[in-house]
Amino acid sequence: MTNPQQPKNLNKTRDDLEQDQFLTILSREEALARFEAALFPRPVPAEQRPLADALGCALAEDIVAPIDVPPFDRSNVDGFAVRSADLSSSGEATPVRLMLNDEAIACGIAPARPVLSGTATSIATGGPVPRGADAIVMVEHTQPVSARAIEIRRAASPGQFVSYAGSDIARGENLLRAGTVIGSREIGMLAACGIAVVSVARRPRVAVISTGDELVQPGNELRPAAIYDTNGAIVTAAVSENGGDAVFLGAIADDEAKLEAAMRGALESSDMLVLSGGTSKGAGDLSHRIIARLGKPGIIAHGVALKPGKPLCLAVCDGKPVVILPGFPTSAMFTFHDMIVPVLRRMAGLPPRSDAKVFARVPVRIASELGRTEFVMVSLVEGDGGLIAYPSGKGSGAITSFAQADGFLKIDALADQMPAGTDAEVTLFTPHVRVPDLVIVGSHCTGLDLVTAPLARAGLVVRSIAVGSLGGLAAARRGECDFAPIHLFDEKTESYNTPYVADGLELVPGWRRMQGIVFRSGDARFEGLSAQDAVRSALADPTCIMVNRNQGAGTRILIDRLLGDIRPDGYWNQPRSHNAVAAAVAQGRADWGMTIAPVAHAAGLGFIPFAEEHYDFALVTARKQRLAVQAFLAALASDEGRAALERAGFRPA
Ligand code: AMP
Ligand code: MG
């Protein structure tokens, strides 16, 4: 008997199934230790590079200075080379007269005559000190008496204004250590020693392959149900950032033969292979099965107690690392940086990464899965008592959290949460903390970006953290932001926002957003009707499907008002954003829903206005005089700001 609901892999053999389970989930530390043990020690292959091409490379060996720098005793000033003993009695009232030798030592001129007692030789900055002389007197401290003599009215100490041979770099001295990354300063030192070619670690060649039938390369049109290949670009860039020579081989479909051919080809021509996707246990997930055929010892770890990143697969095939990163881009990025970068840098002869770290207070409790090391991206803001780290993740499928985050914190595998108020160590994505000038925490609206645009152009860093209206109000009360955008309807007073503004906060009017029914243009069930009639018409058609909104959303309150107790088909589909509602209707997953006018229009949908929502700002009064806050208020009130809002379909208050 066949059951149409049966998943495909049920007709596999028991052996297959057993092989397909994560045999053992290793801890992060154990997985990394086993991976490194299978790869190291190994020699770092070196290559010779001309100095000009060596920028950013790691030195393969220590460099010993082949010469002294400077190569001779050198004058540091324009003046006269003298014997200091001649000037021992020299003073304001007792000038000493010295006869000039018949030579002037310029840069690049080797002196021909010695400086005998009672004589001096004219010398330029950089000129070699002549025999006999042991000090230089600056030209400003001498008076000419004739064409052939000078007078000096001060003593000179031995060695004055002389740089001795080897005083900068001494021949035989260890100049630079193996592993040093060559920057402009190192290039300068090497050039000063006359070194034109250096032995540097050869960048490991790293082949990058994305896997998945659904992947389309950026630049091409997205077909229905397809997504852009994000990991290919991320991994290629991250390999380059960490000393590898990345070769992106494109996205390969989930086809075992094609994938195996691509993997074999990649391994032949590279030192390392990084794949992404297809590492879970789905029927289409093939890469890990192919690895077993590619070389010994094969898979080292498949399943690591990381979050995000559990399906990570680490393998070594005949000495070459082969890695399958999880498909979700954020998971791919974290696992790459945490587990692959250490290995890549060692292969590239580079020292371990030294990411900057800071401590910051976590204002909210962060739940965590027991047994997995969890990475949580955070945005940093300046609070009254120091830095505050807001968790900013949107889940492992989200890519934008990386751009909005300043760094991440780690929650130990043995912890099931990080309590609110924890002073946590944050690893920064950038070398230094750059605390934003304006911090907005609350409900997000695309109109916000229009108003803050001039601030960004003026060089002010604006950070907007979307936590919803209520979360924003709480942050504002704790003094963690400058203001909280809110759109909260109070049933009792039938008014927006004002009843929610607590002590220490004041309400700044923002703009109005028209909420209404969206449908595909031309749908006769909705076209030309009022909102109430449109809903009535939808309810009258049993094939009609709606898309709802999440509990707590301002939009949901409006939908509930229209529907009363009725629960039509689609009611339980409750996405969390205006855009998701529009996408569901545009793609035919639903026939109607409620969203704001600008989003409906951007998606090319029909729109029936229903109610205007007030989007305002709860401003922290104590922060009102700050420069960035004033700049925001000015932008909000400006003609340009209002015009930009109107063009986008908002109505400034
Ligand atoms: P998989 O492990 O192949 O099942 O992939 C898990 C999720 O990550 C799926 O939603 C994939 O569409 C997504 N994914 C896989 N590879 C990529 C990629 N290169 N770029 C963006 N998303 C990806
Ligand atoms: Mg896949």
Side-chain angles (χ1 to χ4, degrees):
M1 240 175 58
T2 55
N3 175 353
Q5 306 256 296
Q6 226 172 31
K8 261 196 247 155
N9 39 0
L10 280 198
N11 46 28
K12 286 184 181 167
T13 67
R14 249 193 58 206
D15 269 2
D16 280 347
L17 276 179
E18 228 163 309
Q19 172 128 35
D20 277 6
Q21 298 314 308
F22 292 117
L23 293 174
T24 5
I25 306 273
L26 299 180
S27 74
R28 166 188 176 274
E29 289 72 22
E30 177 68 19
L32 191 55
R34 288 195 196 178
F35 193 36
E36 292 191 315
L39 288 166
F40 303 106
R42 58 161 62 199
V44 175
E47 64 182 357
Q48 302 291 110
R49 278 193 185 231
L51 209 48
D53 292 339
L55 193 66
C57 295
L59 281 172
E61 48 196 42
D62 289 357
I63 297 212
V64 171
I67 60 161
D68 283 328
V69 178
F72 47 83
D73 297 347
R74 186 173 67 185
S75 172
N76 279 342
V77 294
D78 289 333
F80 296 90
V82 300
R83 288 173 174 260
S84 58
D86 285 349
L87 300 180
S88 57
S89 64
S90 172
E92 236 359 274
T94 53
V96 169
R97 180 171 298 200
L98 297 174
M99 298 306 291
L100 287 181
N101 293 310
D102 185 18
E103 110 175 301
I105 304 168
C107 275
I109 301 284
R113 304 189 208 299
V115 171
L116 302 175
S117 187
T119 74
T121 298
S122 165
I123 189 165
T125 304
V129 178
R131 179 181 166 85
D134 63 3
I136 313 294
V137 178
M138 285 168 87
V139 67
E140 297 89 317
H141 298 152
T142 64
Q143 287 86 41
V145 241
S146 70
R148 302 227 29 233
I150 53 169
E151 250 177 26
I152 299 170
R153 290 169 190 272
R154 57 171 74 200
S157 49
Q160 165 177 299
F161 300 128
V162 176
S163 285
Y164 287 100
S167 58
D168 189 351
I169 299 169
R171 180 201 305 252
E173 172 186 348
N174 203 306
L175 190 60
L176 292 167
R177 292 276 177 205
T180 304
V181 178
I182 300 179
S184 55
R185 287 169 306 146
E186 287 72 25
I187 290 208
M189 292 166 76
L190 293 163
C193 288
I195 295 173
V197 174
V198 279
S199 173
V200 295
R202 187 171 63 71
R203 289 202 166 100
R205 224 177 127 85
V206 182
V208 178
I209 295 178
S210 301
T211 68
D213 293 338
E214 75 280 28
L215 299 180
V216 172
Q217 290 308 312
N220 298 300
E221 182 118 16
L222 213 52
R223 10 170 241 282
I227 58 169
Y228 283 119
D229 175 9
T230 314
N231 295 341
I234 295 175
V235 176
T236 303
V239 164
S240 306
E241 277 176 353
N242 288 284
D245 189 0
V247 185
F248 178 49
L249 300 176
I252 310 282
D254 294 314
D255 170 312
E256 192 151 355
K258 277 196 195 131
L259 194 54
E260 180 160 353
M263 288 168 74
R264 284 188 186 280
L267 265 183
E268 247 160 57
S269 57
S270 338
D271 305 304
M272 179 170 180
L273 170 58
V274 182
L275 301 134
S276 65
T279 179
S280 320
K281 297 297 154 185
D285 296 332
L286 312 160
S287 327
H288 60 95
R289 263 181 269 156
I290 298 171
I291 286 179
R293 306 194 280 269
L294 292 185
K296 295 266 165 259
I299 290 175
I300 305 269
H302 191 183
V304 180
L306 282 173
K307 188 174 181 181
K310 182 162 141 193
L312 176 69
C313 177
L314 305 172
V316 174
C317 298
D318 296 337
K320 295 182 178 179
V322 179
V323 172
I324 316 175
L325 302 173
F328 279 130
T330 313
S331 315
M333 252 163 133
F334 266 124
T335 48
F336 185 84
H337 279 98
D338 197 52
M339 307 288 286
I340 317 306
V341 163
V343 164
L344 173 58
R345 291 184 71 94
R346 250 179 109 171
M347 287 175 67
L350 290 169
R353 266 181 96 90
S354 54
D355 292 320
K357 295 183 178 175
V358 292
F359 278 90
R361 190 172 55 79
V362 178
V364 289
R365 173 182 178 273
I366 310 174
S368 174
E369 190 181 320
L370 198 62
R372 287 164 77 184
T373 304
E374 184 154 348
F375 298 99
V376 181
M377 274 184 268
V378 294
S379 296
L380 292 173
V381 301
E382 185 90 68
D384 293 335
L387 286 177
I388 295 171
Y390 263 100
S392 64
K394 294 187 189 169
S396 59
I399 183 78
T400 50
S401 13
F402 260 102
Q404 283 152 15
D406 295 297
F408 63 90
L409 52 83
K410 251 190 223 184
I411 304 179
D412 194 83
L414 297 176
D416 65 351
Q417 63 149 333
M418 179 171 273
T422 303
D423 206 19
E425 187 181 55
V426 175
T427 304
L428 298 180
F429 291 137
T430 49
H432 307 285
V433 188
R434 173 129 197 234
V435 193
D437 300 293
L438 186 71
V439 180
I440 306 168
V441 180
S443 162
H444 188 72
C445 174
T446 49
L448 210 46
D449 300 331
L450 301 174
V451 176
T452 56
L455 277 70
R457 281 198 299 274
L460 294 172
V461 177
V462 178
R463 173 65 45 73
S464 162
I465 299 170
V467 296
S469 297
L470 288 171
L473 278 177
R477 278 197 297 269
R478 290 192 301 257
E480 291 165 2
C481 61
D482 295 304
F483 59 80
I486 55 173
H487 54 105
L488 291 165
F489 187 72
D490 179 55
E491 304 253 13
K492 238 187 285 149
T493 58
E494 295 241 335
S495 67
Y496 270 101
N497 301 333
T498 319
Y500 292 90
V501 175
D503 280 354
L505 304 178
E506 55 192 270
L507 198 69
V508 175
W511 49 85
R512 307 286 181 257
R513 317 193 290 193
M514 185 54 81
Q515 295 269 10
I517 306 283
V518 271
F519 58 95
R520 287 179 297 281
S521 297
D523 190 332
R525 290 172 295 189
F526 304 105
E527 207 69 77
L529 300 182
S530 71
Q532 286 81 354
D533 287 344
V535 170
R536 237 169 264 136
S537 161
L539 295 178
D541 177 357
T543 67
C544 193
I545 298 181
M546 74 168 295
V547 50
N548 202 350
R549 275 297 305 278
N550 56 303
Q551 190 73 46
T555 313
R556 172 66 174 270
I557 296 172
L558 300 177
I559 297 173
D560 285 345
R561 271 209 242 159
L562 280 170
L563 284 179
D565 295 333
I566 308 169
R567 301 282 177 270
D569 196 6
Y571 184 89
W572 300 106
N573 180 20
Q574 303 184 350
R576 306 188 68 85
S577 78
H578 300 303
N579 288 58
V581 169
V585 175
Q587 291 163 12
R589 223 162 85 66
D591 301 308
W592 71 276
M594 186 170 298
T595 191
I596 57 175
V599 169
H601 294 144
L605 294 169
F607 184 76
I608 304 166
F610 176 55
E612 219 177 21
E613 188 179 57
H614 296 210
Y615 184 85
D616 300 319
F617 304 102
L619 188 70
V620 179
T621 303
R623 296 199 178 208
K624 197 173 173 180
Q625 292 316 318
R626 293 168 66 137
L627 186 92
V629 176
Q630 287 296 317
F632 176 82
L633 294 176
L636 182 63
S638 72
D639 291 345
E640 286 148 81
R642 298 173 68 86
L645 286 168
E646 272 166 16
R647 273 197 304 279
F650 301 104
R651 196 166 67 81

